[in-house]
Structure formats: C-alpha cells, structure tokens
Amino acid sequence: MGVLVRSAARQLCYAARAVIPCTWRGKYFSSGSDEPAANNRVTPMLRHLMYKIKSTGPITVAEYMKEVLTNPAKGYYMHRDMLGEKGDFITSPEISQIFGELLGIWFISEWMATGKNVAFQLVELGPGRGTLMGDILRVFSQLGSVLKNCDISIHLVEVSQNLSELQALTLTEAKIPLEQNPESLVYMKGVTKSGLPISWYRDLQDVPKGYSFFLAHEFFDVLPVHKFQKTPQGWREVLIDIDPQVSGKLRFVLAPCVTPAQAFLQHDEIRDHVEVCPDAGVIIQELSERIALTGGAALIADYGHDGTKTDTFRGFCGHELHDVLIAPGTADLTADVDFSYLRRMAQGKVASLGPTEQQTFLKNMGIDVRLKVLFNKSDEPSVRQQLLQGYDMLMNPQKMGERFNFFALLPHERLHGRSHHINACQSRPSASPVAGFGELAWQ
C-alpha cells in the first residue's frame, strides 16, 4: 500500500516542483528555518534524504519517518541503544518493574477468564531491550502453579538486529546457543531463562497463527504518519522539501493538489490538522482477524488520544524535545496514537476497550498493593526511594499518568461469556470484567 501511494503521489503532484511553502508551525517543532546553522548538522541521513528529494521531489512525512527511523543502513533504530538514561528517551518498563509485572498479571487474568486454553503464544511488537517481556516472564514463573498445564511460547517482532541482540541477552539462557538464520522468516530462536521457546520475526504476518496474546508497548507511536492541513482549497498533505533559502536544511511544504493518502481522511473530519497512520491500520486489521479467528487478545499501551489532537509529531534527543527536521537520524521521531482510528480499523471484527488512562488502568490492576509489598520487603532507603519515584512517574497526571493510555482488542465472545474453544480439560469462562478496564477479579 505504502509503495503504491508514494508512486501515485509522485505521478500526480511531485513531478512538478510547484509546492506551497508551509507557514503553519507545529506545536512541538519548527520548519527549521529559524535554527542557527551551527545546530543543523549534515548527517549521513540528511545527505541521503536531500539526494532522494532532488531525485523525486518532496516526500511525505510518513516516508521521512520511515527513512529516518528504519533505513537499514542509517536508520535511528537500526544501530543504537536509544533507551534509558544514556539514551534519548525512557519507557515505563525502565522506570519500574511493577509496570511489567502488572501486564503479566493482565495476560494471565485474560487467559483464565477465557477458559484456560492448553496453550498460548505471547507476541510482543517492538520489544525494546526486552525489559518488559523479562518482567512479564518473571510473573509467569512466580505463578507457575497457575500456568503449569499451559504450553507457552514467546514471539518477538523486531526489525532491528541490534535490538534483537539486546533482547536475547536480557531474555535467553546463556548456556543454550541461539539458532540464527538471517534468510529465514524466523531469523533467531532460543530458550528463555525460564525454559520457554522464544523466536524473532521481522513482520507480524510471519508469526504463526494460533491462540495468542499480543502486546504493543510504545510501538504504534513510531509508525509513520501522513500529516494533513485544512486550507481554503481543501485538505492538503504536508510534505518535506529542501529549503531553497538555507543550505543543508529541510522545510515543510503543502502539496499543491490532492494526494492519494487523503483517502485515509474521514469525510466528516472537523479538525484543521490531522495525522493518519496507514501502517497502524494494517497491523490492527491483522490483529483483529487473528483474534476473531483463534481467540486471545491484544493490549496496546501508548501515548495517544481518542481523535481529538492535531499536531503531535515531535522528536526526542537526550530526553529533550528536538526539531524533527534537524540532524535526522540522531533523534527519535514519534506521533501520538489516534485510538479512534485504531478502533475504526478493527472494522467491528473484534471488541475494543479504551483508551483508558494509565493511572486508572494500573490502579485497577492493583499497583498500590504491589508497591506496598515491594516497599515493605526492602530495608534499603535507596530502593524505597526508587520505588516511590517510579510510582510517581507512572501515576502522576502531570507525568505519564494521563498522557499514556491502554487500549485492548478482544473477541466479541469475551464480553458475553462464551469461548472459541472449550473442551473437557478447560473451564467454562464467564463474562467477568476485563482487568485494568475494570477492577481486577480472580476466578
């Protein structure tokens, strides 16, 4: 789809370089025209993009994001560890172990509520360093008596070879060598420290179909977005071009005519600036089809909104906001997830819950109880302080408490107390509340 859109767009508009200078200025970034020359480093990625634009014309913001983040040779995610205090941003699993532990409880709760299937796949999209999955698997081990009759396998979807190696270091048993085959759809296999089989894939579609629980934590916010601005002539797509006034700089422009990506806009859209992520729609459709067919659930946790925000495209470098057009390839690029769009893309094949603010979700999952247990178990003042600081970062409305949201996809049957597959070895589920979106209830 992306290739077709880009190709058609060039045929319609880009052959003629009659773009419109973009006078709109984003909330989080500028067009770069006011930045001092000293701050505008000519990175290898910038040279690559300028050559590309000179050859084909202005590019979409989606194409810019894809190149900057995942270009195999120069992409931001491909050859670095960008997480943690020494990186450009920090995620919830790096802040507190409690976050991952509660998500582990969520998956067990859903497995129990839907009949304790004899096997399930746990699939994570974009696993970072593997910290979150490590915390989840620790909970699985601690609740081994509950899961003892369940055959569990772990499946990670990761395009970065560098990150997959970090994940393997975090998650796998060092004494058992990894199987690696770069040409295979399953490019790496191993065994976790708790003895579960674990596999790596580059694409969700390569993961075997079957009863699965899916996790996407801060995954959708880095997928490429198309940006649109309402003008007196109608909607126009925001593009990225070379600034003719300043050497070695990029700028935002508006397409002079309709582009194919405008097909993704809602006809009744009332906002004057919109970001749309077709790749997210494709992934949601794949998840929805799998869940509708074989059961399971998907839990999505990300910065986002329910179709209310406009310009959220921003960059982060060294934990500070960064102009998205300056020194591309050296900073993370992100845009808030539009959960109303994800809900639409599910097309009614599955039920959806949320978005629910993180502070509400974690409180429903019992974060206060878990904090008290860990706090009382430790006599170290530094550990206690770290626990309290982590709790504050996760729950404070001014920090992550209200900006971060949870969203779930489940079979329609889950909300009505029926199960896809019930046999003599399985308990019959009832329509219990979905943990996190209601108070946690063990059966």
Side-chain angles (χ1 to χ4, degrees):
M1 172 67 79
V3 173
L4 292 175
V5 167
R6 289 197 296 272
S7 176
R10 289 184 188 124
Q11 292 173 13
L12 285 173
C13 287
Y14 300 171
R17 296 293 293 270
V19 294
I20 305 168
C22 190
T23 55
W24 140 80
R25 293 173 65 82
K27 177 180 177 182
Y28 291 105
F29 61 92
S30 76
S31 65
S33 58
D34 298 331
E35 294 291 328
N39 292 343
N40 190 30
R41 283 198 289 129
V42 179
T43 60
M45 176 57 69
L46 179 58
R47 283 193 292 269
H48 167 71
L49 290 167
M50 293 184 76
Y51 178 80
K52 186 181 185 75
I53 292 169
K54 287 176 182 177
S55 301
T56 64
I59 60 175
T60 65
V61 172
E63 190 167 0
Y64 178 80
M65 286 185 72
K66 185 175 181 180
E67 285 289 333
V68 169
L69 297 179
T70 60
N71 179 285
K74 307 176 183 71
Y76 173 78
Y77 285 127
M78 306 309 286
H79 306 287
R80 68 175 73 205
D81 178 11
M82 70 296 296
L83 294 163
E85 291 183 10
K86 296 181 180 178
D88 294 320
F89 57 92
I90 192 165
T91 61
S92 296
E94 312 290 335
I95 292 169
S96 173
Q97 68 179 72
I98 301 177
F99 184 85
E101 291 172 348
L102 296 181
L103 297 200
I105 294 294
W106 191 89
F107 288 115
I108 294 174
S109 172
E110 277 307 292
W111 171 74
M112 294 175 68
T114 53
K116 298 183 180 178
N117 204 295
V118 295
F120 70 79
Q121 300 182 148
L122 180 57
V123 184
E124 185 175 5
L125 309 181
R129 285 176 171 169
T131 305
L132 178 56
M133 182 59 72
D135 290 338
I136 291 171
L137 293 183
R138 186 173 61 255
V139 169
F140 283 11
S141 294
Q142 291 169 347
L143 295 177
S145 59
V146 177
L147 296 165
K148 63 182 178 180
N149 296 321
C150 185
D151 185 11
I152 302 171
S153 57
I154 309 302
H155 305 262
L156 305 182
V157 179
E158 179 59 70
V159 297
S160 168
Q161 182 65 35
N162 183 61
L163 285 175
S164 65
E165 291 170 0
L166 287 174
Q167 293 152 16
L169 284 173
T170 301
L171 299 171
T172 62
E173 175 53 62
K175 296 178 181 177
I176 303 176
L178 292 166
E179 297 179 35
Q180 299 193 51
N181 183 355
E183 305 303 318
S184 173
L185 296 180
V186 188
Y187 66 86
M188 196 157 67
K189 288 182 180 180
V191 177
T192 69
K193 293 173 182 176
S194 55
L196 302 178
I198 183 169
S199 303
W200 278 262
Y201 312 79
R202 294 182 184 86
D203 195 294
L204 172 61
Q205 293 186 346
D206 299 331
V207 177
K209 289 183 168 60
Y211 183 81
S212 303
F213 291 107
F214 300 92
L215 173 61
H217 174 260
E218 290 201 46
F219 170 79
F220 283 93
D221 69 313
V222 298
L223 295 180
V225 296
H226 291 267
K227 292 177 72 68
F228 299 93
Q229 178 70 26
K230 188 176 285 185
T231 75
Q233 292 74 41
W235 287 102
R236 291 292 181 265
E237 185 163 6
V238 177
L239 309 176
I240 293 172
D241 194 10
I242 297 169
D243 190 334
Q245 307 297 322
V246 184
S247 176
K249 277 186 174 286
L250 300 174
R251 64 170 182 167
F252 291 101
V253 296
L254 295 178
C257 58
V258 172
T259 56
Q262 285 180 225
F264 295 109
L265 289 174
Q266 290 288 98
H267 296 298
D268 57 352
E269 182 59 65
I270 60 173
R271 290 171 288 176
D272 60 5
H273 189 93
V274 178
E275 297 165 339
V276 182
C277 183
D279 285 0
V282 171
I283 292 169
I284 289 296
Q285 288 173 355
E286 174 75 11
L287 292 174
S288 299
E289 288 171 5
R290 286 176 177 242
I291 293 168
L293 181 65
T294 61
L299 185 64
I300 297 166
D302 227 315
Y303 293 99
H305 58 93
D306 206 15
T308 55
K309 292 186 179 180
T310 55
D311 165 36
T312 70
F313 183 39
R314 59 201 185 275
F316 285 98
C317 184
H319 301 276
E320 299 289 338
L321 283 169
H322 177 86
D323 189 317
V324 294
L325 297 186
I326 296 294
T330 65
D332 186 34
L333 301 179
T334 179
D336 283 7
V337 178
D338 184 344
F339 290 107
S340 69
Y341 174 73
L342 301 191
R343 190 183 302 113
R344 270 200 318 276
M345 290 299 101
Q347 298 175 331
K349 295 175 183 175
V350 292
S352 65
L353 293 175
T356 296
E357 291 175 351
Q358 176 165 289
Q359 61 176 350
T360 301
F361 181 91
L362 295 181
K363 188 169 285 290
N364 287 340
M365 289 300 302
I367 189 172
D368 294 328
V369 174
R370 182 58 178 157
L371 174 68
K372 185 176 181 180
V373 169
L374 292 175
F375 191 86
N376 290 337
K377 280 176 64 176
S378 176
D379 296 325
E380 283 286 331
S382 61
V383 173
R384 288 186 162 193
Q385 183 182 16
Q386 189 177 19
L387 285 168
L388 293 174
Q389 288 175 343
Y391 177 90
D392 180 64
M393 180 65 76
L394 294 175
M395 299 294 284
N396 190 323
Q398 303 304 315
K399 296 178 181 177
M400 300 180 78
E402 290 184 354
R403 291 205 60 224
F404 213 79
N405 290 272
F406 282 80
F407 182 83
L409 300 174
L410 308 105
H412 289 292
E413 293 87 350
R414 165 67 177 95
L415 303 184
H416 301 295
R418 302 190 303 276
S419 179
H420 272 72
H421 311 289
I422 295 181
N423 56 41
C425 300
Q426 294 173 266
S427 339
R428 181 171 297 273
S430 63
S432 60
V434 177
F437 300 91
E439 290 189 15
L440 179 63
W442 290 98
Q443 295 188 356

